[in-house]
Amino acid sequence: MSGSSNLVAMKKIVQQLRFEAKINRVKVSQAAADLQQFCLQNAQQDPLLTGVSSSTNPFRPQKVCSFL
Amino acid sequence: KDDVIAAASAARARRSGRVGLATASRSTSDPHPAEMATHELHPNDTLTTLKMESENLKAKLEEERAKLHDVELHQVAEKIEALGQFVMKTRRTLKGHGNKVLCMDWCKDKRRIVSSSQDGKVIVWDAFTTNKEHAVTMPCTWVMACAYAPSGCAVACGGLDNKCSVYPLSLDKNENLAAKKKSVAMHTNYLSACSFTNSDMQILTSSGDGTCALWDVESGQLLQSFHGHGADVLCLDLAPSETGNTFVSGGCDKKANVWDMRSGQCIQSFETHESDINSVRYYPSGDAFASGSDDATCRLYDLRADREVAIYSKESIIFGASSVDFSLSGRLLFGGYNDYTINVWDVLKGNRVSILFGHENRVSTLRVSPDGTAFCSGSWDHTLRIWA
């Protein structure tokens, strides 16, 4: 009984590996260049990266406002 | 009556003939990959031959991946400017949980937060004012997972009760939220993580029972289950909506798996961590994901290169990373660790740019706000902190 369930499990593993073997891959140099480009393109819109000033970041302490 | 019987058998013959034709045409045209695989597995295949094939395929997979490993990410990033000094401080401290904070999530309105604790409580906070807006007491302790619905009108949570329940949030503070509770997911072990998909209608869960599952909130129906992890699944993250219907999960089997939500198929698998994977998070473009593990490292896996492309580690960091998240541009990776600190990594160059102190016990959960202006960390010290 356990023999046949091992066989079934093993067949599933082999099927999965065959599936994974077929995927198309790109070179790391290409993938890395794309990751870098995304970072650089979006850098200005990243408040934690650019350190947004107090006036625009709701969490940073604000200067006291006075009623005119 | 004989005519009827004759007509019936004639109809059966026609039907089987049509089926026969259909099968024949299927085998001559390009078959479905899964079918093709079973087609080639002969009944005489023994465990030994399959094991051999499995080893061969694994070796071939590594070979294919290695062929494309022509450079390291940090080498590509050598030419870009290094990041300057970061000044990030605790701007708010949310106090109110009676025990370890285990999980938190932001509302899309960028100011509300839901958090869950070992004490069985789920609290909804206004992070600007630090006011508690709602509180629910769960019937179990160790509420390990919580999530905000995209509409902001409900929260989901669960843990040792093996379930994921949805609570609609009422504007009436006096209303008993527990009364409207809806049980959605049922696992056979603890719920480790949950997330709404891009609507309030579906929830994705991961569990100590080794599976992930997709559920319809309204009916509680199981829509798809995901089998493949060899041990408890500890975390999951949905791909950014532009990249399609996939999600990544990490588990105690040291594997990170990427899944097709519609078919239930595992489409990619990564096994380079040396211990449990506590947290997985997609890179904002959807082309990669980061992981945090008990092996004290965070790693970056690129989905198109199909391999690990960076390791974020230091000899001085010996405690596990429990939770990771990216800043909006993907340049920074924030990691919450079991040594009470938060390390901030330059994703491209691979070095640590900042270390944040403040929590008085393990950091268990960490999420960047939807507009990227701040991030929130939750800790075993019973508090949550907003950093900016």
Side-chain angles (χ1 to χ4, degrees):
Chain A
M1 247 347 226
S2 64
S4 65
S5 68
N6 275 349
L7 201 62
V8 167
M10 210 57 219
K11 280 185 182 175
K12 279 199 184 139
I13 291 175
V14 170
Q15 276 173 16
Q16 180 62 29
L17 285 168
R18 283 184 186 167
F19 179 88
E20 286 178 30
K22 284 194 219 92
I23 72 169
N24 288 323
R25 297 177 185 84
V26 311
K27 284 192 182 166
V28 175
S29 49
Q30 176 66 60
D34 290 346
L35 289 175
Q36 182 170 296
Q37 189 182 39
F38 185 89
C39 274
L40 298 175
Q41 271 173 354
N42 292 287
Q44 286 314 304
Q45 283 79 47
D46 185 341
L48 286 168
L49 186 66
T50 58
V52 173
S53 69
S54 309
S55 52
T56 37
N57 189 325
F59 289 106
R60 288 201 171 178
Q62 305 228 314
K63 296 192 173 62
V64 178
C65 354
S66 45
F67 287 94
L68 296 171
Chain B
K1 202 166 80 181
D2 287 336
D3 287 336
V4 172
I5 294 170
S9 54
R12 257 199 311 276
R14 273 200 303 277
R15 264 198 308 266
S16 52
R18 245 180 278 134
V19 169
L21 277 169
T23 335
S25 65
R26 240 192 305 160
S27 56
T28 49
S29 62
D30 225 5
H32 187 278
E35 264 175 55
M36 187 168 74
T38 36
H39 200 61
E40 289 174 18
L41 285 169
H42 301 289
N44 292 334
D45 272 332
T46 60
L47 208 54
T48 334
T49 56
L50 284 173
K51 273 191 184 152
M52 255 172 50
E53 182 170 5
S54 149
E55 292 310 310
N56 287 341
L57 283 168
K58 279 188 196 161
K60 186 142 190 293
L61 204 61
E62 282 320 302
E63 209 183 285
E64 291 301 312
R65 283 173 169 169
K67 273 186 204 168
L68 300 162
H69 189 198
D70 53 347
V71 77
E72 297 292 340
L73 174 59
H74 63 82
Q75 289 171 307
V76 169
E78 258 161 33
K79 304 178 209 117
I80 61 176
E81 235 179 276
L83 297 171
Q85 275 294 355
F86 281 93
V87 178
M88 267 178 243
K89 295 188 201 163
T90 302
R91 306 291 175 174
R92 303 283 192 281
T93 304
L94 306 179
K95 294 186 186 175
H97 276 297
N99 212 321
K100 307 176 174 67
V101 176
L102 302 174
C103 188
M104 59 81 37
D105 191 19
W106 287 89
C107 176
K108 284 213 160 86
D109 71 1
K110 313 157 216 166
R111 69 185 280 171
R112 282 176 182 75
I113 281 178
V114 63
S115 63
S116 64
S117 164
Q118 184 193 340
D119 69 359
K121 289 232 173 30
V122 174
I123 299 178
V124 175
W125 315 76
D126 176 334
F128 287 2
T129 63
T130 74
N131 288 341
K132 298 177 203 35
E133 296 199 341
H134 303 275
V136 177
T137 306
M138 293 283 284
C140 66
T141 57
W142 288 90
V143 188
M144 294 175 241
C146 64
Y148 230 115
S151 67
C153 300
V155 293
C157 52
L160 283 188
D161 59 351
N162 299 359
K163 294 190 210 164
C164 184
S165 308
V166 175
Y167 291 84
L169 296 174
S170 164
L171 289 170
D172 179 0
K173 300 270 166 86
N174 295 321
E175 188 168 1
N176 180 12
L177 288 184
K180 293 240 169 97
K181 161 180 164 172
K182 195 185 295 181
S183 263
V184 175
M186 280 286 283
H187 278 280
T188 53
N189 209 323
Y190 64 89
L191 186 83
S192 54
C194 62
S195 174
F196 284 85
T197 59
N198 48 22
S199 81
D200 283 22
M201 301 284 77
Q202 291 182 355
I203 283 189
L204 194 57
T205 59
S206 65
S207 166
D209 67 13
T211 72
C212 298
L214 181 66
W215 310 83
D216 176 271
V217 173
E218 197 53 52
S219 63
Q221 197 193 349
L222 173 67
L223 299 171
Q224 185 61 261
S225 64
F226 306 88
H227 298 260
H229 278 288
D232 304 23
V233 187
L234 299 178
C235 51
L236 61 86
D237 191 35
L238 271 133
S241 39
E242 310 78 51
T243 22
N245 290 339
T246 61
F247 74 94
V248 59
S249 64
C252 292
D253 58 355
K254 312 175 203 170
K255 285 200 202 158
N257 290 337
V258 180
W259 307 87
D260 178 319
M261 273 169 69
R262 275 174 290 215
S263 67
Q265 167 104 46
C266 171
I267 48 187
Q268 280 171 281
S269 186
F270 304 89
E271 195 175 350
T272 62
H273 271 295
E274 294 166 19
S275 187
D276 299 358
I277 297 179
N278 298 313
S279 175
V280 286
R281 193 75 68 213
Y282 270 93
Y283 185 78
S285 72
D287 286 333
F289 68 91
S291 58
S293 162
D294 274 353
D295 68 7
T297 71
C298 295
R299 296 177 197 233
L300 186 70
Y301 298 89
D302 188 287
L303 294 172
R304 295 174 320 136
D306 187 40
R307 61 172 298 123
E308 173 193 293
V309 291
I311 305 183
Y312 308 102
S313 66
K314 276 178 98 75
E315 265 183 46
S316 53
I317 301 176
I318 57 172
F319 284 82
S322 63
S323 192
V324 297
D325 202 359
F326 288 99
S327 69
L328 271 196
S329 67
R331 182 67 190 270
L332 299 175
L333 181 69
F334 300 97
Y337 289 72
N338 293 341
D339 63 1
Y340 314 176
T341 68
I342 293 167
N343 289 304
V344 187
W345 302 91
D346 179 331
V347 169
L348 300 178
K349 289 184 179 281
N351 59 302
R352 181 174 65 185
V353 294
S354 194
I355 176 168
L356 303 174
F357 300 96
H359 279 298
E360 294 165 16
N361 207 320
R362 289 192 188 194
V363 178
S364 53
T365 179
L366 187 157
R367 294 296 288 264
V368 171
S369 73
D371 61 355
T373 53
F375 70 91
C376 177
S377 59
S379 165
W380 280 17
D381 69 8
H382 308 190
T383 71
L384 294 118
R385 285 171 181 247
I386 314 282
W387 306 78

